[in-house]
């Protein structure tokens, strides 16, 4: 058996002789066999030269041969056959050159054959020796080859022998010596347990497994010369029995374990970043979610386990806000990401509780993770998008307000002048009607003039709805009654095939506002629905109910943020032609219309009235399917509204002057001023009038102690009514004054500026007389003289 010490050194473990000595012995045996063969040939040649006719004594070789022939019965039988065939005689004559009878020269023949047999035996022995030498040489060559292989193995290797019952190291290669930083002399003969460490509990088990040849591979730790532990993976190969040797090849695992640790560390870092990322992250494979981080479960209201195995459309609405089906859209985005095109888009999810979450999505493929792996990062931008939408809504409302303000300024100026004209017409018609006899043609004509003027004043009031100064007069309005009355008036104008569906809550709350304006809002919406459906079959649906609004309600219903509280929700829906997105964006703008014959004022008035009532309006429409307008108006309970005291207008005869009080009227409109002068003078008041506010200031400065009441128009040249009143208060801080204006009453802050009352234009004789009488009957504030106040 050959073992390896240092590389290139060969040692015979069994004999201890060198290989060169064995080779010399084989050569000696060969030479001896060749020498014997040569001697035998020479002997045959000498015998053949003896004269056949000369009687000679048989040579000693033949005697020996003759004595051996009886011991070879098989040879005798063969020889007899040869003799019978005559072949032997011919051979004998040919070989020896003489013709000798076989029967007379038997001894010589036997001797010759015996020598030939000896030669064959010698040659056969030579062949055997040569074959054995060749086999020994081949074995030596194989041993040297295996020795070189063993030494050249790049992995540490050792041969362990269990002959004496202990696993001892019989051979090692250079790689093992280098690994353990030990010499081969230190390792040869040592026990296997001296260089391995796998824990005390496992050493005996491992050694036993090696002994019973059941161990094929395992992980060990070798002990280096400096006592450091080197992790290795060993593979064993048992030599065929009866040998008890085991070949062990080890692989150094330090680099592998270091790489594995690096991979584990990188994976842990990636997993930490992935799981603790603030934004939801989803990993797709073939469009199926394979991984989800904690943020994804938190944002989507579920768990990562429940997300795994689903596809994005499973947790999304059927249609995205842009109108595309979620399944088709997401598949397209993922396919484009797999094609190498990074995708960025907004995506809407639906949580477990039904909430919609808007995310800013970013998809990209991960080639290193697989051919069909896509990573999606979804940043929750719900609040941001809602804020942006509210900002856009506020911008639209601001733009709408600016447009309405521009129109309102024009409308307010026209309405003011128109109200002054109507006031003069109504006043003089009323004065003439007082003097006319009832039932006469004159009386009827004057009554017609007055009613026409009132109708014109109502139209002016509608025009004032455009104006910033035209806010509604607040009163508790039964909105359910308004809906019923308005529908009863409007429905006769619908096609007979139109079906009206009403769903009005019986306990519908009241709305603080102007009944006339609210009626106009409902009427405009109903007429708009009629025009959208045209002369076709259709359904008009009007519903109203009480709702409680807070911020979450506004977000879920996509309406501008309203103050928390009770509201009335009114919906007007039709099944008409619907609106395009472009038309929906400009719907409430003044003079915008989708009908050739429309004026474009109806919905702009609706928008203004609703916002003046501190409410909001939304519109939802699908082309060729219909439109729905939804109003939200602040509400008060029915009990509160019905129990609230309401002031009723004074009716009956005009209240007259009690003590002949003095009244100063300041109005630049001659027609209106003349009516007021005639009415109050007729009621017993001492009236002074002027069209110039500067002149009025001079009159009051001279006679302020005798003037009990001042009627001041709001809009006048050189000085408006408010500025005039401030000048009057400098003369007399306790001055009692009534403000008159062609604008709406609620716009003019007369109470906060010291006016005792307000009279809207155009006014009736009853309203004028009543307001004057109530103002004079109110408790007066003690007056102070002009000496105590600065003069103008």
């Amino acid at each position: 058996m050959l073992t390896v010490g240092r590389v290139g050194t060969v040692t015979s473990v069994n004999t201890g002789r060198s290989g060169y000595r064995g080779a010399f012995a084989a050569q000696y045996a060969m030479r001896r066999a060749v020498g014997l063969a040569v001697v035998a040939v020479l002997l045959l040649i000498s015998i053949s030269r003896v004269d056949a006719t000369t009687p000679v004594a048989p040579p000693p070789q033949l005697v020996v041969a003759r004595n051996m022939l009886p011991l070879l019965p098989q040879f005798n039988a063969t020889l007899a056959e040869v003799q019978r065939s005559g072949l032997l005689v011919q051979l004998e004559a040919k070989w020896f050159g003489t013709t000798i009878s076989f029967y007379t020269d038997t001894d010589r023949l036997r001797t010759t054959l015996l020598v030939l047999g000896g030669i064959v035996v010698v040659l056969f022995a030579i062949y055997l020796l040569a074959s054995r030498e060749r086999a020994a040489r081949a074995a030596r060559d194989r041993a040297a080859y295996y020795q070189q292989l063993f030494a050249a193995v790049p992995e540490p290797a050792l041969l362990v022998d269990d002959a004496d019952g202990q696993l001892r190291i019989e051979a090692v290669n250079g790689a093992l010596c280098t690994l353990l930083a030990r010499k081969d002399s230190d390792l040869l003969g040592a026990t296997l347990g001296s260089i391995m460490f796998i824990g005390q509990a496992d050493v005996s088990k491992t050694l036993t497994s090696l002994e019973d040849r059941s161990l094929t591979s395992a992980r060990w730790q070798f002990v280096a010369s400096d006592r450091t532990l080197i992790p290795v993976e060993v593979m064993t190969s048992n030599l065929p029995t009866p040998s008890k040797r085991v070949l062990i090849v080890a692989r150094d695992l330090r680099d592998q374990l270091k790489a594995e640790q690096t991979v584990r560390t990188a994976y842990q870092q990636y997993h930490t970043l992935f799981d603790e990322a603030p934004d939801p992250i989803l990993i797709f494979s073939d469009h199926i979610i394979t991984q989800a981080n904690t943020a994804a479960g938190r944002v989507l209201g579920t768990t990562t386990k429940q997300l795994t195995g689903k596809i994005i459309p499973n947790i999304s609405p059927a249609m995205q806000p842009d109108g595309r089906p979620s399944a088709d859209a997401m598949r397209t985005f993922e396919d484009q990401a797999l094609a190498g095109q990074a995708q960025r888009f907004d995506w809407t999810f639906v949580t477990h509780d039904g909430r919609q979450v808007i995310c800013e999505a970013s998809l990209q493929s991960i080639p290193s993770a697989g051919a069909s792996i896509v990573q999606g990062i979804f940043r929750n931008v719900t609040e941001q998008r809602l804020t942006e939408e509210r900002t856009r809504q506020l911008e639209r409302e601001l733009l709408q307000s600016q447009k309405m303000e521009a129109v309102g300024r024009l409308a307010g100026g026209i309405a003011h002048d128109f109200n002054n004209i109507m006031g003069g017409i109504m006043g003089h018609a009323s004065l003439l009607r007082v003097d006319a006899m009832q039932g006469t043609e004159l009386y009827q004509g004057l009554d017609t003039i007055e009613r026409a003027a009132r109708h014109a004043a109502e139209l002016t009031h509608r025009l004032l709805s455009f104006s910033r100064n035209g806010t509604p007069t607040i009163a508790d309005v039964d909105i359910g009654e308004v809906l019923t009355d308005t529908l009863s008036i409007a429905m006769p104008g619908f096609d007979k095939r139109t079906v009206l569906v009403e769903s009005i809550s019986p306990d519908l709350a009241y709305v603080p506002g102007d009944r006339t304006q609210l009626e106009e809002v409902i009427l405009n919406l109903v007429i708009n629905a009629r025009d959208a459906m045209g002369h076709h079959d259709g359904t008009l649906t009007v519903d109203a109910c009480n709702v409680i609004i807070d911020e979450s309600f506004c977000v879920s219903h996509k309406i501008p943020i309203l103050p928390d509280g009770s509201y009335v929700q009114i919906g007007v829906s039709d099944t008409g032609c619907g609106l395009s997105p472009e038309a929906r964006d400009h719907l409430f703008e003044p003079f915008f219309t989708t009908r050739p014959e429309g004026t474009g004022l109806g919905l702009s008035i609706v928008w203004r009235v609703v916002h003046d009532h501190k409410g909001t309006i939304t519109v939802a429409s699908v082309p060729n399917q219909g439109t729905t307008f939804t109003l939200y108006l602040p509400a008060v309970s029915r009990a509160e509204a019905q129990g609230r005291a309401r002031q009723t207008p004074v009716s009956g005869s005009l209240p007259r002057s009690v003590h002949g009080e003095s009244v100063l009227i300041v109005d630049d409109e001659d027609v209106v001023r003349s009516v007021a002068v005639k009415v109050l003078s007729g009621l017993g008041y001492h009236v002074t009038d002027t069209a110039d506010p500067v002149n009025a200031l001079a009159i009051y400065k001279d006679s302020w102690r005798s003037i009990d009441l001042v009627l001041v128009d709001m809009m006048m040249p050189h000085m408006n009514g408010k500025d005039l009143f401030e000048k009057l208060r400098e003369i007399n801080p306790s001055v009692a004054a009534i403000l008159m204006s062609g604008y709406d009453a609620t716009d003019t802050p007369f109470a906060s500026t010291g006016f005792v009352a307000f009279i809207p234009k155009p006014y009736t004789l009853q309203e004028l007389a009543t307001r004057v009488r109530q103002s004079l009957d109110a408790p007066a504030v003690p007056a102070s003289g002009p000496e105590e106040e600065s003069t103008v």
Side-chain angles (χ1 to χ4, degrees), residues 380-396:
N380 185 5
V381 293
T382 304
E383 292 298 328
Q384 177 181 341
R385 292 293 182 267
L386 291 177
T387 301
E388 292 174 355
E389 180 59 30
R390 286 195 292 266
T391 301
R392 286 192 293 268
Q393 178 67 22
L394 291 175
E395 290 176 352
R396 287 194 294 267

Side-chain angles (χ1 to χ4, degrees), residues 29-30 32-35 37 119 121-131:
M30 178 65 73
R32 185 173 56 184
V34 171
I119 294 172
V121 171
V122 171
L123 293 176
F124 182 72
I126 293 172
Y127 172 77
L128 292 179
L129 290 174
S131 298

Side-chain angles (χ1 to χ4, degrees), residues 226-272:
D226 58 356
R227 309 306 298 172
T228 59
L229 300 179
I230 302 174
V232 294
E233 181 181 19
V234 298
M235 292 173 289
T236 63
S237 177
N238 300 308
L239 273 63
T241 55
S243 174
K244 294 185 178 181
R245 294 180 176 88
V246 179
L247 177 64
I248 300 175
V249 178
R251 183 166 63 90
D252 189 355
L253 296 179
R254 286 177 295 184
D255 292 341
Q256 176 182 333
L257 294 178
K258 183 178 180 180
E260 290 176 355
Q261 181 62 35
T262 302
V263 171
R264 277 195 300 271
T265 302
Y267 176 78
Q268 291 173 355
Q269 292 175 349
Y270 163 77
H271 191 274
T272 301

Side-chain angles (χ1 to χ4, degrees), residues 474-477 510-513 634-648:
I474 302 300
D476 294 329
V477 179
Y510 280 54
V511 173
V636 295
S637 66
R638 297 181 66 88
E640 181 182 354
Q642 292 172 353
R644 183 177 297 168
R646 302 174 61 184
Q647 182 179 0
T648 58

Side-chain angles (χ1 to χ4, degrees), residues 404-419 455-471 516-517 520 591 601 604-605 608-609 612 742-744:
M404 296 298 291
E405 181 180 2
V407 177
R409 289 180 181 274
L410 176 63
I414 295 174
H416 177 265
D417 294 339
F418 197 71
N419 279 335
H455 182 63
E458 292 177 359
L459 293 177
T460 306
H461 186 69
R462 291 178 58 185
L463 189 60
L464 278 172
S465 297
F466 283 109
S467 176
R468 179 181 57 185
N469 298 324
T471 54
T516 302
Q517 292 187 1
E520 186 172 5
F591 310 115
L601 293 178
S604 59
I605 291 177
R608 167 59 68 187
V609 171
D612 284 345
Y743 291 104
D744 198 297

Side-chain angles (χ1 to χ4, degrees), residues 26 45 95 103 317 403 599 627 691 711 760 775 787:
I45 294 173
W95 285 352
Y103 297 102
K403 293 178 180 179
T599 62
T627 304
L711 275 65
S775 300
E787 297 79 12

Side-chain angles (χ1 to χ4, degrees), residues 172-243:
V172 297
N173 68 349
L176 180 64
C177 296
T178 302
L179 177 67
L180 301 181
R182 296 188 181 188
K183 298 179 180 180
D184 56 349
S185 58
D186 297 336
L187 298 174
L188 295 177
T191 60
L192 180 61
S194 65
I195 66 168
M196 60 180 289
F197 177 84
I198 54 176
Q200 294 298 328
D202 296 333
V203 171
S204 60
K205 181 179 178 180
T206 302
L207 297 179
T208 302
S209 300
L210 280 174
E211 292 172 357
D212 61 16
R213 298 172 176 258
S214 62
L215 182 66
T216 57
S217 64
R219 282 199 174 188
W220 294 354
Q221 286 181 309
F222 280 158
V223 181
S225 60
D226 58 356
R227 309 306 298 172
T228 59
L229 300 179
I230 302 174
V232 294
E233 181 181 19
V234 298
M235 292 173 289
T236 63
S237 177
N238 300 308
L239 273 63
T241 55
S243 174

